[in-house]
């Protein structure tokens, strides 16, 4: 009986998934470029600047790409095991009484090393090898010119890569997979356990390089292992767990202030349970957009209301999502191999803003309504399916917004796909042809 109900529920979920028509007039991403330098699963993408981005793979390589034409700029070879994390570091240097910044890319690997790369020439500048285990996350505090790495150990480093302190954790503890700096010189660590651990970072007054990491407390309101940890605003952060719960925390008191998608919200005669939360990110430092099960949900952290939702947006779990076109569009990446584009159900609202009112918040652009209008609506808005981007042959792990150059996605098929605005690319080609013709006329 239980199996029959489960199959019936699964069939209903598939039936509820909206389907896109062949004609997608409101999907701007009608051109693509397949970037096939990797030979294994690509898990990570990071934006370097407005013209470059990087990818990292289980093939031990990181690659720097040109965001405009998809050209491979550098292949970063040096790791002997899969790359687990990346971090951009703007290293500030004084030169002739002027301060300049060099962009560095740090890659952490399960080979227990962190490699420091010059993004301009692809050269490895430094190898950091003080970890006892896999390096799974990297995060920096710009103001203090330090960065942290997590895995089996928790380490703090100077901007030059000097080890300042190491917190050696018990070997039976789960590896740290996410680190988040918060107020009052503290950092929150998340692992596959149900507790967050808060550490303080103390600095000696007589020696700026004398830094100590001390465990402050454990935060344990989750029922299952923690999957996500993000900053919401200067005074708030949020965590999400395998059981679907999203918890909002105060950065000052370290107490939780609100819960979303909690199991008690689902209790009823059929004893249903929430789906797992795969990914969350912050919108306008006030709203949380969460990928939960096969769908996505937009929550207001102040009121606790769900402003928008699509419960069954894909035929598989949504692994990652990102806002595009200055917030007008949402791209959801799924294990079903598709990227879907969502936006306001009102066809007058388009991402170039030519026929749209001057919304100041991204959440207003995405929903096609002012926030005052949204708050007066009793039930959540259902964003419209505007397009579907198909090129991957396996699960899609991540996407990044490249602004005017579109967006990039990566997946288990080893591909990086660069999705381009078809109309913009057409204009560029026409302009290029026009310039060529004009130059030919000038030479006659």
């Amino acid at each position: 009986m239980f199996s029959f109900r489960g199959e019936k529920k699964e069939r209903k979920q598939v039936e509820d998934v909206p389907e896109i028509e062949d004609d997608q007039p409101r999907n701007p991403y009608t051109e693509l470029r397949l970037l096939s330098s990797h030979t294994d699963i690509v898990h990570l993408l990071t934006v370097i600047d407005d013209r470059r981005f990087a990818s990292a793979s289980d093939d031990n390589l990181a690659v720097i790409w040109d965001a405009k034409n998809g050209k491979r700029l550098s292949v970063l070879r040096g790791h002997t095991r899969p790359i687990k994390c990346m971090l951009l570091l703007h290293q500030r240097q004084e030169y002739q009484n002027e301060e300049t910044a060099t962009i560095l890319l740090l890659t952490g690997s399960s080979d227990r090393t962190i490699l420091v790369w010059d993004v301009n020439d692809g050269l490895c500048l430094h190898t950091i090898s003080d970890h006892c285990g896999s390096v799974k996350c990297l995060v920096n505090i710009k103001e203090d010119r330090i960065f942290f790495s997590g895995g089996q150990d928790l380490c703090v480093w100077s901007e030059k890569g000097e080890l300042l302190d190491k917190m050696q954790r018990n070997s039976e503890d789960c590896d740290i997979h996410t680190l988040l700096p918060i107020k009052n010189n503290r950092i929150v660590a998340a692992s596959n356990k149900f507790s967050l651990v808060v550490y303080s970072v103390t600095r000696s007054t007589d020696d700026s390089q004398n830094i100590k990491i001390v465990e402050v407390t454990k935060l344990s309101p989750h029922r299952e292992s923690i999957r996500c940890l993000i900053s919401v605003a200067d005074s708030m952060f949020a965590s999400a767990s395998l059981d679907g719960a999203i918890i909002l925390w105060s950065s000052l008191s370290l107490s939780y202030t609100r819960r979303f998608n909690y199991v008690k919200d689902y209790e009823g005669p059929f004893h249903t349970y929430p789906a797992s939360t795969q990914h969350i990110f912050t919108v306008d430092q006030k709203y949380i957009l969460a990928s939960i099960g096969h769908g996505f949900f937009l929550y207001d952290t102040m009121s606790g209301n769900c402003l928008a939702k699509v419960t069954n947006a894909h035929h598989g779990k949504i692994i990652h999502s990102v806002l595009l076109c200055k917030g007008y569009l949402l791209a959801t990446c799924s294990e079903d191999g598709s990227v879907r584009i969502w936006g306001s159900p009102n066809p007058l609202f388009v991402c170039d803003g030519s026929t749209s009112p001057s919304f100041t918040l991204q959440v207003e652009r995405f929903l096609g309504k002012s926030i005052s209008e949204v708050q007066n609506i009793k039930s959540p808005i259902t964003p419209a399916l505007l397009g579907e981007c198909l090129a991957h042959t396996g699960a899609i792990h991540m996407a990044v917004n490249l602004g005017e150059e579109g967006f990039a996605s990566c997946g288990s098929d080893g591909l990086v796909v660069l999705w381009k605005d078809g109309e913009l690319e057409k204009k560029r080609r026409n302009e290029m042809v026009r310039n060529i013709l004009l130059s030919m006329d000038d030479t006659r």
Side-chain angles (χ1 to χ4, degrees):
M1 182 69 71
F2 178 80
S3 175
F4 173 76
R5 286 180 178 177
E7 291 175 3
K8 186 175 181 180
K9 182 179 179 182
E10 183 66 26
R11 286 198 301 270
K12 186 177 186 303
Q13 284 185 338
V14 171
E15 291 170 0
D16 289 344
V17 176
E19 297 299 330
I20 190 70
E21 298 177 359
D22 291 337
D23 185 21
Q24 303 180 31
R26 298 183 63 205
N27 178 13
Y29 305 108
T30 56
E31 293 192 18
L32 62 90
R33 291 170 174 80
L34 300 179
L35 314 183
S36 55
S37 188
H38 290 290
T39 58
D40 208 332
I41 299 171
V42 186
H43 289 284
L44 301 169
L45 299 171
T46 189
V47 178
I48 297 173
D49 51 33
D50 58 2
R51 62 185 182 86
R52 295 174 294 180
F53 69 98
S55 59
S57 168
D58 282 355
D59 62 7
N60 314 336
L61 301 178
V63 179
I64 298 177
W65 306 93
D66 187 310
K68 187 172 184 177
N69 54 31
K71 180 181 178 181
R72 184 177 59 204
L73 301 176
S74 299
V75 178
L76 311 183
R77 305 176 187 273
H79 287 293
T80 58
R81 297 291 300 277
I83 296 172
K84 298 297 184 181
C85 53
M86 293 192 288
L87 173 68
L88 277 182
L89 198 64
H90 292 76
Q91 191 177 65
R92 291 170 288 183
Q93 298 175 332
E94 290 187 2
Y95 179 73
Q96 294 181 350
N97 297 324
E98 292 186 4
E99 195 173 79
T100 60
T102 301
I103 302 179
L104 304 177
L105 178 66
L106 279 60
T107 54
S109 167
S110 54
D111 64 9
R112 305 184 180 188
T113 67
I114 301 169
L115 299 185
V116 182
W117 307 89
D118 186 326
V119 299
N120 292 323
D121 55 23
L123 295 178
C124 182
L125 305 178
H126 189 41
T127 299
I128 301 171
S129 55
D130 293 285
H131 268 270
C132 294
S134 176
V135 184
K136 295 191 174 179
C137 54
L138 293 163
V139 69
N140 68 315
I141 300 180
K142 297 178 183 178
E143 298 78 11
D144 293 337
R145 299 191 181 190
I146 58 176
F147 68 93
F148 298 84
S149 59
Q152 177 59 52
D153 308 316
L154 172 60
C155 301
V156 58
W157 313 84
S158 73
E159 200 176 49
K160 297 179 180 179
E162 303 162 325
L163 180 62
L164 303 179
D165 194 25
K166 177 191 289 188
M167 169 68 72
Q168 292 185 322
R169 303 165 66 248
N170 295 329
S171 58
E172 63 269 17
D173 287 341
C174 294
D175 286 359
I176 296 171
H177 62 68
T178 308
L179 290 168
L180 179 68
I182 60 173
K183 295 180 73 68
N184 298 330
N185 294 317
R186 292 178 293 195
I187 189 163
V188 184
S191 67
N192 286 331
K193 288 195 171 183
F194 58 85
S195 298
L196 297 169
V197 183
V198 182
Y199 299 92
S200 68
V201 183
T202 61
R203 190 189 297 268
S204 175
T205 56
D206 57 346
D207 184 1
S208 61
Q209 297 298 302
N210 187 6
I211 292 178
K212 294 294 181 184
I213 306 172
V214 180
E215 183 176 325
V216 176
T217 187
K218 286 184 172 68
L219 311 176
S220 307
H222 281 286
R223 299 159 56 102
E224 297 288 345
S225 60
I226 296 169
R227 302 287 293 271
C228 315
L229 180 63
I230 62 165
S231 174
V232 177
D234 188 45
S235 60
M236 292 185 295
F237 65 97
S239 55
S241 54
L242 186 62
D243 63 353
I246 301 169
I247 296 179
L248 189 67
W249 301 87
S250 166
S251 300
L252 295 172
S253 65
L254 299 179
S255 59
Y256 68 87
T257 61
R258 199 177 294 280
R259 289 172 171 172
F260 306 97
N261 201 50
Y262 196 57
V263 66
K264 288 185 177 180
D265 300 335
Y266 289 78
E267 290 180 350
F270 299 104
H271 304 288
T272 56
Y273 292 91
S276 63
T277 302
Q278 285 78 237
H279 179 242
I280 57 175
F281 70 93
T282 307
V283 184
D284 300 320
Q285 296 187 314
K286 183 182 176 183
Y287 308 94
I288 292 176
L289 209 154
S291 301
I292 302 173
H294 293 202
F296 62 88
F297 300 75
L298 179 66
Y299 296 105
D300 184 336
T301 61
M302 295 293 101
S303 67
N305 295 331
C306 179
L307 303 183
K309 69 175 182 178
V310 177
T311 306
N312 292 310
H314 283 265
H315 294 277
K317 291 180 180 178
I318 298 177
I319 302 174
H320 194 269
S321 55
V322 62
L323 284 174
L324 308 172
C325 266
K326 300 179 181 179
Y328 284 99
L329 302 177
L330 174 73
T332 53
C333 307
S334 172
E335 65 181 11
D336 66 11
S338 69
V339 179
R340 289 192 153 192
I341 307 298
W342 308 84
S344 165
N346 188 334
L348 294 177
F349 298 103
V350 294
C351 64
D352 62 10
S354 60
T355 60
S356 305
S358 55
F359 291 136
T360 57
L361 298 176
Q362 290 192 82
V363 70
E364 294 177 319
R365 297 169 193 161
F366 175 54
L367 299 177
K369 297 179 181 295
S370 68
I371 198 61
S372 58
E373 291 179 292
V374 173
Q375 290 172 342
N376 289 329
I377 298 175
K378 294 182 179 181
S379 58
I381 293 172
T382 302
L385 176 60
L386 306 181
E388 190 170 47
C389 301
L390 300 174
H392 289 281
T393 58
I396 302 173
H397 292 290
M398 191 176 184
V400 290
N401 182 13
L402 300 174
E404 190 179 65
E405 301 305 332
F407 74 97
S409 60
C410 65
S412 60
D413 55 6
L415 285 176
V416 176
V417 181
L418 185 58
W419 302 92
K420 308 293 286 186
D421 184 326
E423 288 300 316
L424 177 60
E425 293 302 298
K426 182 179 178 180
K427 290 178 182 178
R428 286 175 171 175
R429 286 191 292 270
N430 290 341
E431 182 68 19
M432 182 177 65
V433 171
R434 192 177 73 86
N435 290 335
I436 292 173
L437 295 175
L438 288 175
S439 63
M440 292 175 62
D441 289 340
D442 291 340
T443 57
R444 290 177 182 175

